[in-house]
Amino acid sequence: MTQEPTPTVETPAPPTDALEAAIAPGYAFEGAALELGGLMTGPDGLTGSTIRIPLSMLNRHGLVAGATGTGKTKTLQLMAEQLSAAGVPVFAADIKGDLSGLATPGVSNDKLIARTTSVGQSWTATGFPVEYYALGGQGIGIPIRVTISSFGPILLSRILGLNDTQESSLGLVFHYADKAGLPLLDLADLRAVVQHLTSEEGKPELKELGGLSSATAGVILRELITFADQGAEAFFGEPEFNSADLLQMAGDGRGLISLVELPNLQERPAVFSTFLMWLLADLFHDLPEVGDVDKPKLVFFFDEAHLLFRDASKPFLEQIAQTVRLIRSKGVGVFFVTQSPTDVPDEVLAQLGSRIQHALRAHTPNDAKALKATVNTYPNSEYDDLGEVLTTLGTGEAIVTVMGERGAPTPVAWTRLRAPESLMAPSSTESMEATVKASPRFATYATVVDRESAREILAKKLEEGAKAAAEAQENAEEKAASGPRSSGSGVRKKDAGGVVSDVVKSSAFKQFMRTAAAEIARGMFGTARRRR
């Protein structure tokens, strides 16, 4: 007798109440938390449970990811609002200009009210305290500049695209400038030092450095000139931005939201991402250790994070991972914002406690590969097919998992996000300009300061050397005319000592030697600050 095949029994999906029962308790925190939105069990299965992030866990860092147009910027805006309301300062790059609307109360409409009602949000149009900055002063905001010396050779090498050997050589140039008391404030100063070391007067000093060939110095000089031709001069100089200004509170106790404008990002992606890395390194350098805190001292949103990691060397990635790992103890939380989690190296991704993943696309084989890799980075999910969920998320929906108050990851939660209460569009140019002019930091940073630095000091050295050579020649001619011919040999010996010997013995040069060397303190990424 023919045996009937055993029918395949499919495991039924858990009922809605079972899904909610398995996920919701993981987000029932006792302490203060950011409200992200409502728990969903399916495309139309919105529950009454709320998905949240503990405020005390935000310095464990996080990731906001998703394809273009899926709502990453609105999520960032929503988080910045609640952080400010909780008294936590926020820093974010405003790439498209949309975040400037944080300063302006939002506008209600029927669609907005329907959404906020569905997630149990009591929506009130609210503006938040905002400070506008502009990288290098190229925009409406308060200019942000940094000195070349503070920026350091490692980050500058990353921007210039130097190889390991050239990066090491650039480090020697910085070392020489520090020891010789030559302040490197802008690109012109650094070019002047490199030119000096490759000149006849500087070759003896170049030789003493060791490991820096004239050919490599020439490559560095050419890259610096090309970099300056791209308009990078505006980013470097004084007054130098004090990263501690990001940790400001408004008069009403809310945290100040600092937004930096990034014009022409696509033309200078390396400048943008590396500058943000300098800000992080500078914060790490200056802030004291605080350990675990009830709320972070600052939350730093690192937008377009893929630009930082693209084509980065292994040592550079190691420095980033170390900075992210250690800055937590300074009370700073870092959220990387990018399209796919695969844009972030595993060493960094492993340190991100909170994940807000908007929809991913799987139109190409590479997309499908990235989707599979993303699913594998999540803890076990109560949803049958997390990959399918990630490709079908609607705008303003995300898959969320965060670090709970006990330090363990929460269950994966399909979330319909709340709506920002500020304007979900750029603020007017007039209001932004008024905010900038009213800021107490405008007077500090608006006017460029051009004090004596390496370029002027080296020019003065050349002038003093030329004057000393002229005087020596004049003395030689006088002695030759008035004394025995043999006396001229002594003069020639002195002249053969070269211009450098005369200058090194001068009182002016000795003063230069006593200045910057004792004031430079280099830390993470070789960045530096004059000791405060």
Side-chain angles (χ1 to χ4, degrees), residues 217-522:
V219 171
I220 293 172
L221 187 58
R222 288 193 297 273
E223 293 298 333
L224 287 172
I225 292 172
T226 301
F227 188 39
D229 289 342
Q230 296 172 354
E233 292 275 14
F235 302 141
F236 300 100
E238 290 186 319
E240 183 174 67
F241 183 68
N242 184 356
S243 56
D245 283 341
L246 300 179
L247 281 68
Q248 300 288 333
M249 305 293 289
D252 58 5
R254 292 185 294 176
L256 186 64
I257 302 172
S258 299
L259 302 177
V260 61
E261 186 178 355
L262 301 164
N264 305 319
L265 170 63
Q266 298 307 320
E267 297 176 13
R268 292 184 289 262
V271 174
F272 151 69
S273 60
T274 313
F275 177 81
L276 294 188
M277 199 65 240
W278 170 80
L279 272 180
L280 268 186
D282 196 58
L283 284 166
F284 177 83
H285 184 274
D286 283 357
L287 293 178
E289 296 276 344
V290 295
D292 292 328
V293 289
D294 292 336
K295 62 182 181 182
K297 298 177 67 175
L298 173 73
V299 173
F300 192 107
F301 288 95
F302 205 125
D303 208 352
E304 298 292 339
H306 66 283
L307 297 175
L308 178 68
F309 301 115
R310 180 190 297 166
D311 300 325
S313 65
K314 184 177 180 180
F316 188 78
L317 292 176
E318 289 173 351
Q319 287 277 17
I320 294 173
Q322 184 181 13
T323 304
V324 172
R325 181 174 66 253
L326 297 178
I327 203 169
R328 177 183 71 81
S329 64
K330 304 295 184 89
V332 176
V334 182
F335 274 74
F336 291 97
V337 184
T338 188
Q339 292 199 3
S340 171
T342 56
D343 294 334
V344 182
D346 291 344
E347 296 86 349
V348 177
L349 194 63
Q351 299 180 49
L352 309 183
S354 297
R355 301 271 296 278
I356 302 174
Q357 176 69 63
H358 290 267
L360 287 174
R361 309 302 182 211
H363 301 313
T364 68
N366 284 338
D367 290 340
K369 184 178 179 181
L371 176 63
K372 183 178 180 180
T374 299
V375 172
N376 289 338
T377 63
Y378 278 90
N380 292 334
S381 169
E382 297 293 332
Y383 300 95
D384 291 336
D385 188 341
L386 186 58
E388 182 179 353
V389 172
L390 284 169
T391 57
T392 58
L393 290 172
T395 301
E397 296 176 1
I399 290 296
V400 175
T401 180
V402 306
M403 185 171 287
E405 291 173 318
R406 295 187 298 106
T410 58
V412 174
W414 185 345
T415 307
R416 177 176 293 175
L417 298 165
R418 292 160 62 103
E421 297 184 335
S422 55
L423 185 65
M424 288 185 278
S427 291
S428 68
T429 301
E430 292 77 12
S431 66
M432 292 174 64
E433 289 176 342
T435 299
V436 169
K437 294 294 175 58
S439 170
R441 281 161 286 281
F442 180 76
T444 302
Y445 298 116
T447 304
V448 177
V449 175
D450 188 15
R451 66 179 175 92
E452 187 178 64
S453 54
R455 179 179 48 176
E456 291 81 10
I457 292 173
L458 289 171
K460 186 181 294 184
K461 285 174 63 177
L462 286 176
E463 183 180 345
E464 290 177 354
K467 184 179 179 180
E471 290 175 353
Q473 181 66 28
E474 184 179 347
N475 291 336
E477 291 174 354
E478 289 177 356
K479 289 182 179 180
S482 61
R485 293 178 61 87
S486 61
S487 64
S489 61
V491 174
R492 285 193 295 273
K493 277 187 178 181
K494 180 178 184 301
D495 188 49
V499 174
V500 174
S501 177
D502 291 325
V503 174
V504 167
K505 293 177 181 177
S506 69
S507 60
F509 184 75
K510 291 176 181 178
Q511 178 61 37
F512 301 145
M513 290 288 288
R514 288 193 292 266
T515 55
E519 298 179 28
I520 295 295
R522 296 200 176 274

Side-chain angles (χ1 to χ4, degrees), residues 89-222:
V90 174
F91 172 86
D94 192 9
I95 294 175
K96 298 185 291 292
D98 295 348
L99 290 176
S100 63
L102 276 160
T104 305
V107 178
S108 177
N109 57 55
D110 293 342
K111 184 178 179 181
L112 175 70
I113 296 302
R115 182 182 187 89
T116 57
T117 301
S118 70
V119 295
Q121 177 183 0
S122 179
W123 189 90
T124 304
T126 309
F128 293 83
V130 172
E131 191 84 284
Y132 299 107
Y133 292 101
L135 194 57
Q138 297 184 348
I140 295 174
I142 300 165
I144 292 184
R145 301 180 185 88
V146 56
T147 64
I148 286 289
S149 182
S150 291
F151 203 72
I154 297 176
L155 293 179
L156 187 59
S157 295
R158 163 75 172 154
I159 291 180
L160 298 179
L162 303 182
N163 61 32
D164 291 346
T165 301
Q166 293 160 351
E167 178 184 317
S168 176
S169 298
L170 184 61
L172 288 174
V173 174
F174 273 73
H175 174 75
Y176 165 77
D178 287 351
K179 294 299 183 184
L182 299 174
L184 299 177
L185 304 185
D186 53 26
L187 287 176
D189 288 324
L190 184 55
R191 289 201 306 271
V193 171
V194 177
Q195 287 169 339
H196 168 70
L197 290 173
T198 54
S199 69
E200 290 300 322
E201 294 81 5
K203 281 182 179 178
E205 296 166 275
L206 179 64
K207 187 177 181 180
E208 290 178 7
L209 285 177
L212 176 60
S213 68
S214 297
T216 300
V219 171
I220 293 172
L221 187 58
R222 288 193 297 273

